[in-house]
Amino acid sequence: MAVNRRDVVKGMAMGGAAITSSAAAAAPGGDKIVHHVFFWLKRPDSSADRDQLIAGLRTLAGVEVVRSLQIGVPASTEQRDVVDSSFHVSELIVFDNVVDQKIYQDHPVHQAFVAKCGHLWRKVIVYDMKTV
Amino acid sequence: MAVNRRDVVKGMAMGGAAITSSAAAAAPGGDKIVHHVFFWLKRPDSSADRDQLIAGLRTLAGVEVVRSLQIGVPASTEQRDVVDSSFHVSELIVFDNVVDQKIYQDHPVHQAFVAKCGHLWRKVIVYDMKTV
């Protein structure tokens, strides 16, 4: 996903070892890939911007390798030191494997989303996990 | 979840406004709560510690309000600046609503997990999202 590199959180992508990286290229039907993306809006007080981002995210369901898509906003759970509720919108997608995840990244529908909505956010963090 | 407060990532839980916080106390059957927790181990090279944490997380499926539980490790997706693959284990739980999420936090099974495994991690970040 295209982002403004200067806006990437310092300290992220620190090159920490992925414990099972060598085993994570699951075969079709194997372990799932859970792709969770958190967005921080440039204009967090703009409900129009938030709604535009959410509408854009909904188009991603049209990518054939997307097994499930959930879109969310911060929940009103108890505020604890460990809870990061500073994000504004998040997207949770499940893929069958890392090959499908790559197909998604390069897919015209995903590229169109980034082109149309990329100006809305100032920061994004992506977590990709392989289920075990 | 008990953590060492000194280890909490600086800048997390900054008190950013939850846009829909007033609406997030979903009624039963309403919007779901997606609870995603990322763990950084004290001893990331210890597969025994990792396995113990994963085994502990699996016990959380025994909490009756847990609608689904997925446990993962970093996937071998493309390394990009926006991807944080520095975590070691993550847990993704879906609840029906924030009331259930609170029941889970206080549940003996969850408390036992924290008591038994809390020494394994040095940092934890929690994201709670309400699906829209």
Side-chain angles (χ1 to χ4, degrees):
Chain A
M1 188 176 292
V3 294
N4 297 321
R5 285 179 178 238
R6 68 182 180 279
D7 290 329
V8 172
V9 174
K10 191 174 178 182
M12 291 295 134
M14 293 181 285
I19 291 173
T20 61
S21 59
S22 63
D31 301 311
K32 290 180 290 188
I33 301 297
V34 176
H35 174 71
H36 208 161
V37 185
F38 296 87
F39 298 92
W40 284 259
L41 293 169
K42 282 182 186 165
R43 302 192 301 176
D45 296 329
S46 169
S47 58
D49 281 14
R50 185 193 57 167
D51 292 348
Q52 186 183 344
L53 177 55
I54 290 173
L57 289 169
R58 292 203 196 284
T59 68
L60 301 177
V63 180
E64 59 273 15
V65 293
V66 170
R67 293 291 168 254
S68 74
L69 168 67
Q70 292 181 302
I71 299 165
V73 296
S76 64
T77 49
E78 186 179 357
Q79 289 305 296
R80 299 171 291 142
D81 283 354
V82 295
V83 177
D84 183 359
S85 61
S86 67
F87 70 95
H88 303 114
V89 176
S90 77
E91 150 216 327
L92 178 66
I93 295 179
V94 177
F95 302 102
D96 283 342
N97 50 60
V98 291
V99 174
D100 282 3
Q101 200 270 351
K102 177 63 174 165
I103 290 170
Y104 161 82
Q105 289 294 336
D106 300 335
H107 195 284
V109 169
H110 179 241
Q111 297 293 332
F113 159 72
V114 174
K116 190 172 179 183
C117 295
H119 67 285
L120 297 172
W121 62 76
R122 66 175 173 81
K123 189 177 91 175
V124 59
I125 296 179
V126 179
Y127 297 95
D128 287 327
M129 79 171 190
K130 181 181 79 81
T131 57
V132 293
Chain B
M1 188 176 295
V3 295
N4 297 321
R5 284 178 179 239
R6 68 182 181 279
D7 290 328
V8 172
V9 173
K10 192 174 177 181
M12 291 295 132
M14 293 181 285
I19 290 173
T20 60
S21 59
S22 63
D31 301 311
K32 290 179 291 190
I33 302 296
V34 176
H35 175 71
H36 208 161
V37 185
F38 296 88
F39 298 93
W40 284 258
L41 293 169
K42 282 182 185 164
R43 303 193 301 177
D45 295 330
S46 169
S47 59
D49 281 12
R50 185 193 57 168
D51 292 348
Q52 186 183 344
L53 177 56
I54 290 172
L57 288 169
R58 292 202 196 285
T59 69
L60 301 177
V63 180
E64 59 273 15
V65 295
V66 169
R67 293 291 167 256
S68 73
L69 167 67
Q70 292 181 303
I71 298 164
V73 295
S76 65
T77 49
E78 186 178 359
Q79 288 306 297
R80 300 171 290 143
D81 283 353
V82 294
V83 177
D84 184 358
S85 60
S86 66
F87 70 96
H88 303 114
V89 177
S90 79
E91 150 216 327
L92 178 67
I93 294 179
V94 177
F95 301 103
D96 283 344
N97 51 60
V98 291
V99 175
D100 281 3
Q101 200 270 350
K102 178 62 175 165
I103 290 170
Y104 161 82
Q105 289 294 337
D106 300 335
H107 195 284
V109 170
H110 180 240
Q111 296 294 332
F113 159 73
V114 174
K116 189 172 179 184
C117 295
H119 67 285
L120 298 172
W121 61 77
R122 64 174 174 83
K123 189 177 90 177
V124 59
I125 296 179
V126 179
Y127 297 95
D128 287 327
M129 81 172 190
K130 182 181 78 80
T131 57
V132 294

